Amino acid sequence: YPLGIKCVPTAPVPGDYVIEINDSFWDGWDGAFITVTIDGVATEYTIEDGSSGKFTVTVPDGTTELLFEYTAGSFEGEHTYEIQGPTGELDVEDGPSPTAGEITLSICI
């Protein structure tokens, strides 16, 4: 049987993270968003209209806090996302109907 292993680092991994978000109905994320908090500074990522968005988040060396969170909106069955970490591998994906709350990344370094 295949067994998935998550590698959850104990400290934030610096580098570029790529967030790709999609809406299957092409009308934006209907109030949903992903919040990335780096050392207390929060930034929200969403698509207001259309089917997709791609964002690069740069986490600097020395970062002590890194948090990804998904906040649900309407029509959750249309929403999906993927986050690629600085290793270049897909670290997490969710949806349709992503789970609201903290997003746990799996980064093997």
Side-chain angles (χ1 to χ4, degrees), residues 1-21:
Y1 297 97
L3 177 65
I5 298 174
K6 284 197 170 221
C7 300
V8 181
T10 56
V13 177
D16 289 337
Y17 293 72
V18 177
I19 302 171
E20 291 190 47
I21 59 179

Side-chain angles (χ1 to χ4, degrees), residues 6-78:
K6 284 197 170 221
C7 300
V8 181
T10 56
V13 177
D16 289 337
Y17 293 72
V18 177
I19 302 171
E20 291 190 47
I21 59 179
N22 295 289
D23 182 272
S24 64
F25 199 70
W26 291 65
D27 64 347
W29 251 18
D30 310 300
F33 55 91
I34 291 177
T35 304
V36 180
T37 305
I38 301 172
D39 289 337
V41 178
T43 305
E44 295 178 356
Y45 298 91
T46 189
I47 42 178
E48 297 296 328
D49 192 25
S51 65
S52 64
K54 185 174 183 177
F55 310 96
T56 299
V57 177
T58 300
V59 176
D61 284 327
T63 296
T64 58
E65 177 198 21
L66 176 62
L67 178 65
F68 288 77
E69 293 179 283
Y70 178 77
T71 300
S74 302
F75 307 105
E76 285 295 295
E78 301 172 6

